[in-house]
Amino acid sequence: QKEVEQNSGPLSVPEGAIASLNCTYSDRVSQSFFWYRQYSGKSPELIMSIYSNGDKEDGRFTAQLNKASQYVSLLIRDSQPSDSATYLCAVSFGNEKLTFGTGTRLTIIP
Amino acid sequence: GAVVSQHPSRVICKSGTSVKIECRSLDFQATTMFWYRQFPKKSLMLMATSNEGSKATYEQGVEKDKFLINHASLTLSTLTVTSAHPEDSSFYICSASVGSYNEQFFGPGTRLTVL
């Protein structure tokens, strides 16, 4: 069974520090990897997509993918209180469906 | 990113009634849409995959006769919860798939409360 695993947290990070969120997945056939942010009571919002090994940066966000280790991470630099949310890792295992992790709850402490 | 809308955002109904939720892709055509359900403090649960012009594919354990899905056009998919009961109360979210890498963009969700 194809799985995506995340540490559920909660992860607490001081404001201005780097938040590091990790995700592992079970299948080497995986093609596409996504990070979603979900505020309480809201729907998920796509914040990063990554498809090849290495780093991808977008503003304060950096996604890192290591297919050999089956590992994808999200770094948030200069963390802000508005970054407090649940972050969902999602993987496309070769078809249109996404398999989601259970999410990591991140709290940025002012 | 692509914009997906959902209507209504919130609905309260009596037990036994049917509720229809609409999901629209506003600035792109979505061959495939997805319907999820999320209970409080739980992860997203995929209910079904909806393809334009064909029958939806339901996930194991989801009753297709209770959750009717219609994907009549490339911009509209609907979910009808038939004969709703209190246990159907949940947050229902649709998404649409874009591009060859299967990026999914979510609608804002519909909060259903069945009394």
Side-chain angles (χ1 to χ4, degrees):
Chain A
Q1 185 173 355
K2 297 178 173 59
E3 294 181 338
V4 177
E5 294 190 0
Q6 295 180 252
N7 187 324
S8 62
L11 175 65
S12 297
V13 173
E15 183 176 356
I18 296 175
S20 177
L21 304 164
N22 304 314
C23 173
T24 58
Y25 57 94
S26 63
D27 196 308
R28 292 184 179 273
V29 182
S30 312
Q31 297 178 340
S32 309
F33 307 85
F34 307 94
W35 283 99
Y36 287 85
R37 178 176 62 197
Q38 186 173 25
Y39 292 114
S40 180
K42 303 295 185 182
S43 67
E45 174 191 8
L46 179 63
I47 54 172
M48 286 292 283
S49 308
I50 187 166
Y51 313 117
S52 55
N53 279 326
D55 295 0
K56 179 182 178 183
E57 186 175 317
D58 184 0
R60 296 186 296 112
F61 299 100
T62 299
Q64 299 174 317
L65 175 61
N66 184 325
K67 289 189 176 182
S69 300
Q70 296 174 213
Y71 176 95
V72 58
S73 65
L74 178 71
L75 302 177
I76 306 175
R77 290 182 299 281
D78 188 22
S79 297
Q80 303 295 310
S82 59
D83 295 327
S84 297
T86 296
Y87 289 81
L88 302 169
C89 173
V91 179
S92 171
F93 289 108
N95 59 27
E96 291 179 300
K97 293 196 297 187
L98 294 183
T99 300
F100 285 85
T102 54
T104 298
R105 188 155 56 93
L106 174 66
T107 300
I108 305 301
I109 304 169
Chain B
V3 180
V4 177
S5 71
Q6 254 181 272
H7 179 79
S9 59
R10 184 180 296 269
V11 59
I12 301 173
C13 68
K14 293 182 178 180
S15 186
T17 60
S18 294
V19 175
K20 179 185 282 189
I21 302 170
E22 290 187 351
C23 177
R24 293 181 185 273
S25 56
L26 297 185
D27 53 359
F28 65 102
Q29 293 184 327
T31 307
T32 305
M33 290 184 172
F34 303 86
W35 287 95
Y36 294 84
R37 181 166 57 178
Q38 188 174 38
F39 293 105
K41 300 191 186 301
K42 299 294 184 182
S43 188
L44 289 170
M45 188 193 83
L46 178 65
M47 300 175 67
T49 302
S50 167
N51 291 293
E52 186 267 337
S54 62
K55 290 183 178 180
T57 302
Y58 291 81
E59 295 298 300
Q60 191 173 7
V62 178
E63 298 175 60
K64 62 180 181 180
D65 293 331
K66 179 167 185 64
F67 299 101
L68 301 178
I69 293 172
N70 183 277
H71 195 153
S73 76
L74 288 173
T75 60
L76 173 64
S77 176
T78 60
L79 168 69
T80 301
V81 183
T82 62
S83 187
H85 288 91
E87 58 266 30
D88 298 323
S89 298
S90 188
F91 191 39
Y92 291 86
I93 316 171
C94 72
S95 71
S97 179
V98 177
S100 56
Y101 289 104
N102 302 321
E103 283 187 331
Q104 283 188 27
F105 293 90
F106 285 84
T110 298
R111 195 162 302 281
L112 171 64
T113 302
V114 185
L115 302 177

